[in-house]
Amino acid sequence: MIKRKIRKGDTVKVISGSDRGHVGEVLEVLPAEGKLRVEGARIQKKHIKPGRSALHPDGGIVERVGLMDISNVMFYTEELGAVRLGRQHAEDGKRQRVARGSKHGGAVID
């Protein structure tokens, strides 16, 4: 399992694929698989058969958010834009995420 810097609840920008440029919130992160779900990106349609399901007793077509690779997104904020993330230790010894790069390097995220 690789340590990932993107967490559930973060805002990210999709940088590759058919949803390139989409900005949304991370709904779920699966670090063991290296995948995540982004709100409004990679929408898939699933055909449901009629059955005993309480949610869809008559069946139908359901839209859901699909998984995408974590390497296809970048952390995003309104003031910084899309940035790479790094880690550093604060004076009190706690780890914090910081922006990387020449333009915004060292800006503390949280």
Side-chain angles (χ1 to χ4, degrees):
M1 182 168 75
I2 300 170
K3 288 187 178 179
R4 301 293 179 176
K5 298 173 184 111
I6 295 178
R7 303 177 187 154
K8 179 180 176 180
D10 286 346
T11 303
V12 294
K13 183 174 186 176
V14 180
I15 58 172
S16 68
S18 60
D19 291 315
R20 172 186 277 169
H22 177 78
V23 176
E25 183 180 342
V26 176
L27 301 174
E28 178 183 16
V29 178
L30 305 171
E33 299 174 24
K35 303 213 179 263
L36 51 75
R37 294 182 200 273
V38 178
E39 180 180 29
R42 190 142 165 82
I43 300 297
Q44 299 173 336
K45 291 187 177 189
K46 181 174 181 169
H47 293 69
I48 306 288
K49 285 177 145 182
R52 294 185 182 179
S53 172
L55 295 174
H56 305 285
D58 297 330
I61 301 172
V62 178
E63 289 188 351
R64 63 182 185 177
V65 178
L67 291 171
M68 66 175 22
D69 200 82
I70 202 164
S71 65
N72 293 342
V73 299
M74 286 184 77
F75 185 82
Y76 181 84
T77 61
E78 287 293 326
E79 46 284 340
L80 300 178
V83 294
R84 291 181 296 131
L85 292 179
R87 288 187 182 149
Q88 75 179 19
H89 292 282
E91 290 80 27
D92 59 356
K94 292 187 177 182
R95 276 190 316 210
Q96 57 188 8
R97 296 187 297 174
V98 295
R100 293 284 183 221
S102 59
K103 191 173 181 182
H104 305 291
V108 177
I109 303 299
D110 59 2

